[in-house]
Amino acid sequence: MTHYLYMMMTSWAIVADVWYLPPMFQGQGENAVEFASRVKRAISKQGGLVDLMWDGQLKRMKPKPEWKERQQEEFSKRLKVE
């Protein structure tokens, strides 16, 4: 990690892909949470990312044990060799 940080801090440029999505507006009958979820889904689709359920509270509190267990189960399934 230290080597990576050193290389990043001393490089003359950091290359990143930037996409400009069309403006999005809240639809009729759509509340703020649904609108935010729709925008998040569009961003993750454009960036080729996985759209995960996230309530935004992980900055302030620890994740629920059920979430950790679910992630551990999914990770263990990827590690199994048949």
Side-chain angles (χ1 to χ4, degrees), residues 35-45 51-54:
F35 174 61
S37 180
R38 183 168 54 90
V39 171
K40 182 175 66 80
R41 190 171 35 254
I43 292 170
S44 63
K45 181 179 177 185
D51 183 19
L52 298 175
M53 292 298 296
W54 183 59

Side-chain angles (χ1 to χ4, degrees), residues 29-76:
E30 184 177 47
N31 64 27
V33 173
E34 293 168 341
F35 174 61
S37 180
R38 183 168 54 90
V39 171
K40 182 175 66 80
R41 190 171 35 254
I43 292 170
S44 63
K45 181 179 177 185
Q46 179 65 45
L49 304 171
V50 178
D51 183 19
L52 298 175
M53 292 298 296
W54 183 59
D55 64 358
Q57 294 295 324
L58 289 176
K59 294 182 270 183
R60 296 178 228 16
M61 14 193 228
K62 293 183 177 181
K64 295 178 183 176
E66 301 90 43
W67 293 356
K68 287 172 111 177
E69 291 170 7
R70 185 173 34 187
Q71 291 297 323
Q72 289 171 346
E73 288 174 11
E74 290 179 18
F75 184 70
S76 67

Side-chain angles (χ1 to χ4, degrees), residues 6-32:
Y6 174 76
M7 295 298 288
M8 187 176 72
M9 296 297 195
T10 59
S11 69
W12 63 274
I14 297 176
V15 179
D17 293 324
V18 178
W19 294 280
Y20 293 95
L21 298 174
M24 299 182 84
F25 302 97
Q26 192 169 354
Q28 285 186 331
E30 184 177 47
N31 64 27

